[in-house]
């Protein structure tokens, strides 16, 4: 079976539409189709989401991000138009050589399985309360849901969507409060099964793992498809939960495969070069872990790249437009090449710390927060014996605009004093400003030279594209040059570890998986969005009473011109 392109509401072609259907222009993460959502009335979902989000700061921020993306697309288009045939001809030899090197690294001797539990949190809740089995149900709260069962997905309800919107889409929706102890317990049960098939399996989030089943197939003399059947049966017997599995020659493909016959299904991609090339020719780029909304739109809107194999067809243009490391990533995706060796101990590229707080423009409070952040970051760096040369300050304004400012120094730093003084300098340049989040990150460690990446280390990085799509997007705020080498380095690593120091919402204390840093952010954003929505209605009343309008504080925070 060929991979299916899952439509999502609000695709790029619809963005320009707008007109009498303004919801066509509104594209947010919770409009993306997940497994079990193919029959959804997308138009209706998009309209409800639009109507219910309209006017909130979250909505304004989404619109601002869309406008920035449009600008970026335009700029990218201009860059593409400027590439001369001479320049393309110059890149030809290097690109063709790189393709040969990548081909030479292709390993078809390994068999990888990616296992992903079906509607995990919701399924656990159902095992413990069978009366939920035939009802549409989601785990989460009014501000944010973590996942929905397949019954609820028919209504367009999905992870990362605020509960109040989900209830509007599906009025009979049962909302269950998350219980992470329970999910961790069930996750451990699944891992007991995984261990029997590969004692060194790679666990990702609570409900996901990669298993190298090469040895298992050999010693038991059974085909990969049969191993997948057997493992899924064992998982079910142990937990009463279903899972889906994907089998392929590398982890990148195995992950794509596990989603094809979800829920309670499996898909095996033969370890044959031709079969793999045929598979990628029908595989939409967005299905690949590591290609998120921004990357998809740039590739689609500017270069008309839709399927993974189009990346190879456009290889010279890609090489002329993107950094070496991004080009390598796109080429390997186009060839269906990913990591097939077990990952080694990963080398850290950066270390960071961030905090969300109630919006404030008080420079003393902001300075104090930076002092605290610098102190704990310095402690962590000293513990891990790290010293770096670049300090990045991350800021999120009260209007949800994310900015990053970086400075590199000649010597290596790790003390609180040094981190704090650089961070304060960067902050001062932004004042006056009203912020809701501050973060500090130190990178460019000793012995860390990004230009010296071998194919092997590069493959190690992309393999573990365990980074969720939105994490990637998360890194590309408007101040960050698109897909620079440094970005890719960071994005390919575990962003969750880098930006998420704890995994509880700082506002309601609810636990959020640290595998999903952007989810936590969105969850917190929605607290604000809700508060602001309520505040907005109060303000509107006030305004109409007094007939005056006031501009929000910090007009400097608006979208860059
Ligand atoms: N999760 C979350 N926030 C998200 C996505 C997921 O908290 N944005 C949590 C809840 C999920 C679990 O992680 O149950 C696993 O994530 P999946 O993406 O695998 O989603 P599900 O297992 O729920 O559904 P599927 O059947 O599509 O795998
Ligand atoms: Mg799952």
């Amino acid at each position: 079976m060929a991979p299916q392109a899952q439509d999502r509401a609000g695709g790029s072609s619809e963005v320009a539409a707008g007109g009498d259907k303004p919801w066509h222009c509104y594209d947010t993460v919770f409009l993306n189709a997940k497994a079990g959502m193919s029959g959804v009335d997308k138009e209706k979902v998009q309209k409800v989401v639009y109507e219910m989000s309209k006017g909130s700061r979250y909505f304004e921020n989404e619109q601002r991000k869309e406008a920035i993306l449009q600008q970026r697309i335009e700029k990218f288009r201009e860059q593409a138009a400027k590439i001369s045939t001479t320049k393309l001809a110059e890149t030809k030899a290097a690109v063709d050589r790189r393709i040969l090197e990548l081909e030479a690294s292709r390993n078809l001797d390994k068999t990888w399985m990616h296992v992903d539990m079906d509607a995990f949190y919701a399924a656990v809740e159902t095992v413990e309360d069978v009366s939920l089995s035939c009802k549409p149900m989601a785990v989460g709260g009014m501000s944010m849901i973590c996942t929905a069962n397949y019954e609820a997905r028919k209504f367009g309800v999905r992870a990362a969507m605020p509960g109040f919107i989900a209830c509007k889409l599906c009025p009979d929706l049962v909302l269950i409060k998350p219980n992470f102890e329970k999910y961790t317990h069930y996750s451990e049960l699944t891992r007991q099964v995984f261990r029997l098939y590969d004692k060194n399996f790679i666990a990702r989030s609570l409900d996901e793992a990669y298993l190298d089943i090469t040895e298992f197939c050999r010693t038991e003399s059974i085909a990969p498809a049969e191993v997948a059947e057997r493992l899924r049966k064992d998982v079910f017997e142990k937990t009463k939960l279903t899972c889906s599995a994907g089998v392929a020659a590398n982890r990148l493909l195995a992950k794509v495969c596990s989603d094809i016959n979800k829920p309670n299904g499996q898909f095996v991609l033969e370890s044959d070069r031709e079969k793999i090339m045929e598979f990628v020719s029908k595989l939409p780029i967005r299905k690949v872990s590591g290609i998120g909304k921004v990357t998809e739109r740039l590739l689609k809107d500017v270069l008309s790249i839709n399927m993974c194999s189009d990346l190879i067809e456009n290889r010279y243009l890609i090489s002329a437009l993107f950094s070496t490391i991004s080009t390598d990533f796109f080429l390997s995706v186009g060839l269906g090449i990913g990591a097939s060796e077990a990952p080694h101990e990963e080398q850290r590229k950066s270390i960071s710390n961030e905090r969300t707080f109630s919006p404030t423009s008080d420079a003393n409070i902001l300075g104090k927060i930076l002092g605290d952040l610098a102190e704990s970051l310095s402690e962590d760096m000293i513990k891990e014996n790290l010293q770096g040369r670049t300090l990045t300050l991350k800021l999120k304004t009260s209007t949800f605009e994310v900015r990053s400012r970086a400075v590199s120094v000649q010597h290596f730093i790790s003390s609180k004093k040094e981190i704090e003084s650089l961070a304060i300098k960067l902050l001062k340049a932004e004042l006056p400003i009203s912020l809701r989040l501050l973060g500090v990150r130190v990178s460019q460690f000793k012995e860390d030279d990004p230009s010296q990446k071998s194919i092997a280390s590069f493959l190690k990085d992309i393999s573990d594209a365990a980074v969720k799509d939105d994490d990637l997007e998360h890194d590309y705020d408007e101040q960050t040059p698109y897909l620079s080498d440094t970005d890719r380095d960071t994005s390919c690593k575990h962003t969750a570890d880098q930006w998420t120091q704890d995994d509880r919402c700082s506002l309601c204390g609810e636990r959020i998986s640290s595998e999903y840093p952007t989810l936590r952010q969105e969850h917190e954003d929605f607290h604000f969005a809700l508060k602001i929505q309520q505040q907005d209605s109060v303000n509107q009343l006030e305004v109409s009473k007094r007939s005056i309008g006031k501009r929000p504080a910090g007009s400097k925070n608006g979208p860059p011109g």
Side-chain angles (χ1 to χ4, degrees):
M1 199 195 90
Q4 296 291 311
Q6 270 174 10
D7 284 332
R8 62 194 175 89
S12 49
S13 54
E14 287 156 326
V15 169
D20 60 336
K21 291 182 176 173
W23 50 89
H24 280 181
C25 306
Y26 187 52
D27 185 16
T28 185
V29 59
F30 40 84
L31 288 168
N32 293 344
K34 265 188 79 95
M37 294 178 74
S38 49
V40 170
D41 180 349
K42 283 169 279 171
E43 173 90 16
K44 185 183 155 204
V45 174
Q46 204 175 14
K47 194 170 169 211
V48 169
V49 169
Y50 172 81
E51 293 295 345
M52 296 206 63
S53 327
K54 202 168 56 178
S56 70
R57 292 224 183 155
Y58 178 87
F59 177 87
E60 282 167 16
N61 190 50
E62 289 292 295
Q63 286 204 314
R64 192 179 52 78
K65 283 198 306 201
E66 175 62 32
I68 290 162
L69 176 56
Q70 287 294 347
Q71 280 177 15
R72 202 186 273 177
I73 288 172
E74 265 326 300
K75 217 161 135 198
F76 201 62
R77 202 168 264 145
E78 281 165 24
Q79 279 170 6
K82 275 193 212 135
I83 294 171
S84 63
T85 32
T86 332
K87 168 93 182 153
L88 278 185
E90 275 167 22
T91 62
K92 195 173 177 300
V95 176
D96 288 343
R97 197 172 49 244
R98 196 59 172 167
I99 292 220
L100 286 179
E101 283 170 0
L102 283 166
E103 272 296 355
S105 76
R106 190 194 288 275
N107 183 353
L108 298 174
D109 296 334
K110 291 275 180 189
T111 312
W112 280 94
M113 187 192 307
H114 179 252
V115 186
D116 189 298
M117 303 303 294
D118 302 323
F120 184 51
Y121 297 177
V124 169
E125 296 297 340
T126 309
V127 165
E128 303 224 332
D129 176 0
V130 281
S131 74
L132 294 169
S133 63
C134 44
K135 297 177 188 157
M137 182 267 264
V139 174
M142 273 316 205
S143 58
M144 176 64 66
I145 61 176
C146 303
T147 193
N149 67 5
Y150 279 76
E151 200 49 43
R153 290 185 198 191
K154 292 180 192 158
F155 296 83
V157 174
R158 58 150 286 163
M161 179 179 270
F164 69 92
I165 295 185
C167 289
K168 178 83 178 174
L169 289 169
C170 176
D172 295 329
L173 186 72
V174 181
L175 266 181
I176 306 275
K177 250 178 103 91
N179 179 335
F180 289 91
E181 272 71 30
K182 253 198 275 191
Y183 313 143
T184 313
H185 167 73
Y186 278 89
S187 173
E188 183 43 43
L189 294 181
T190 65
R191 289 175 187 184
Q192 287 172 16
V193 177
F194 300 160
R195 235 167 253 133
L196 303 174
Y197 291 80
D198 172 13
K199 65 177 182 351
N200 299 318
F201 76 91
I202 307 163
R204 281 299 171 216
S205 57
L206 285 181
D207 91 323
E208 212 186 329
Y210 292 96
L211 287 77
D212 178 352
I213 55 164
T214 320
E215 268 315 297
F216 192 92
C217 292
R218 193 171 299 149
T219 51
E220 301 280 317
S221 297
I222 51 174
E226 207 182 312
V227 177
E229 294 278 4
R230 212 198 264 192
L231 177 136
R232 289 173 42 238
K233 196 162 150 270
D234 287 353
V235 168
F236 186 77
E237 274 168 16
K238 185 113 192 157
T239 61
K240 297 287 167 280
L241 299 171
T242 64
C243 62
S244 301
V247 177
N250 58 58
R251 295 198 284 279
L252 187 124
L253 292 173
K255 184 165 169 75
V256 174
C257 290
S258 69
D259 200 50
I260 293 175
N261 287 320
K262 222 173 206 318
N264 199 14
Q266 62 183 59
F267 181 83
V268 179
L269 173 61
E270 244 181 89
S271 292
D272 172 278
R273 190 187 174 275
E274 266 191 24
K275 295 258 164 58
I276 293 173
M277 294 310 282
E278 192 196 329
F279 182 83
V280 292
S281 72
K282 294 175 192 140
L283 182 67
I285 48 172
R286 185 65 189 273
K287 290 273 170 193
V288 175
S289 191
I291 298 189
K293 179 173 132 182
V294 174
T295 313
E296 181 195 35
R297 288 276 297 278
L298 282 172
L299 292 171
K300 244 184 198 177
D301 294 5
V302 181
L303 305 175
S304 303
I305 289 174
N306 294 297
M307 301 298 164
C308 293
S309 54
D310 299 340
L311 292 163
I312 300 296
E313 267 163 45
N314 291 275
R315 58 194 180 278
Y316 305 127
L317 209 47
I318 284 182
S319 160
L321 280 166
F322 291 93
S323 68
T324 316
I325 200 137
S326 301
T327 303
D328 276 355
F329 173 68
F330 292 137
L331 295 181
S332 58
V333 167
L335 295 168
I337 292 175
S340 50
E341 295 305 328
H344 307 283
E345 216 20 53
E346 289 195 53
Q347 205 192 332
R348 241 183 200 284
K349 290 278 182 239
S350 68
I351 184 163
S352 63
N353 192 3
E354 71 178 24
R355 189 190 296 170
T356 301
F357 42 88
S358 301
T360 178
S361 49
D362 185 325
N364 289 330
I365 297 178
L366 295 173
K368 165 89 180 58
I369 293 170
L370 273 188
D372 292 348
L373 287 170
E375 183 165 0
S376 68
L377 187 63
S378 164
E379 280 169 10
D380 287 349
M381 289 184 72
I382 291 164
K383 259 189 241 151
E384 297 200 27
N385 197 21
L386 293 170
Q387 290 183 302
R389 281 202 316 114
T390 300
L391 182 117
T392 308
L393 178 71
K394 179 182 175 186
L395 317 103
K396 188 179 243 192
T397 68
S398 54
T399 49
F400 298 98
E401 182 196 342
V402 180
R403 300 179 185 179
S404 62
R405 300 284 184 260
V407 58
S408 291
V409 288
Q410 289 301 319
H411 58 287
F412 290 91
I413 60 164
S414 63
S415 75
K416 179 200 168 188
K417 205 170 142 209
E418 291 162 317
I419 297 171
E420 186 179 11
S421 90
L422 289 175
I424 295 277
K425 236 181 234 168
L426 292 172
L427 176 68
K428 276 191 177 155
E430 303 300 307
L431 294 175
I433 191 165
S434 174
L435 297 175
R436 57 172 74 245
L437 177 148
L438 274 170
V440 281
R441 170 166 53 176
V442 176
S443 55
Q444 290 288 313
F445 297 144
K446 275 186 181 166
E447 297 141 22
D448 191 14
D449 183 354
S451 64
Q452 300 301 309
K453 263 190 184 293
S454 65
I455 283 222
S457 71
F458 160 73
L459 279 177
K460 181 176 65 120
D461 275 359
I462 57 158
S463 66
D464 303 315
V467 205
K468 295 272 161 179
D469 283 354
D470 295 313
D471 294 344
L472 243 168
E473 308 294 325
H474 187 61
D475 274 349
Y476 299 143
D477 58 76
E478 52 277 28
Q479 305 297 334
T480 316
Y482 179 65
L483 287 176
S484 70
D485 284 11
T486 345
D487 278 347
R488 177 59 72 184
D489 277 351
T490 342
S491 332
C492 286
K493 308 277 300 171
H494 300 279
T495 337
D497 293 339
Q498 294 170 355
W499 280 115
T500 314
Q501 288 291 303
D502 65 71
D503 58 0
R504 281 187 191 274
C505 167
S506 60
L507 297 158
C508 68
E510 197 166 289
R511 254 186 96 176
I512 305 196
S513 166
S514 58
E515 299 283 336
Y516 296 102
T518 39
L519 177 72
R520 173 165 156 249
Q521 198 56 63
E522 277 164 17
H523 169 99
E524 289 175 350
D525 287 350
F526 256 92
H527 279 295
F528 290 114
L530 275 178
K531 226 163 98 188
I532 289 154
Q533 258 181 342
Q534 288 156 2
Q535 194 57 45
D536 282 349
S537 6
V538 178
N539 285 349
Q540 264 166 21
L541 260 174
E542 290 294 312
V543 168
S544 53
K545 270 192 219 154
R546 290 190 244 143
S547 309
I548 52 160
K550 213 177 166 195
R551 262 180 81 81
S555 49
K556 213 183 155 194
N557 303 346

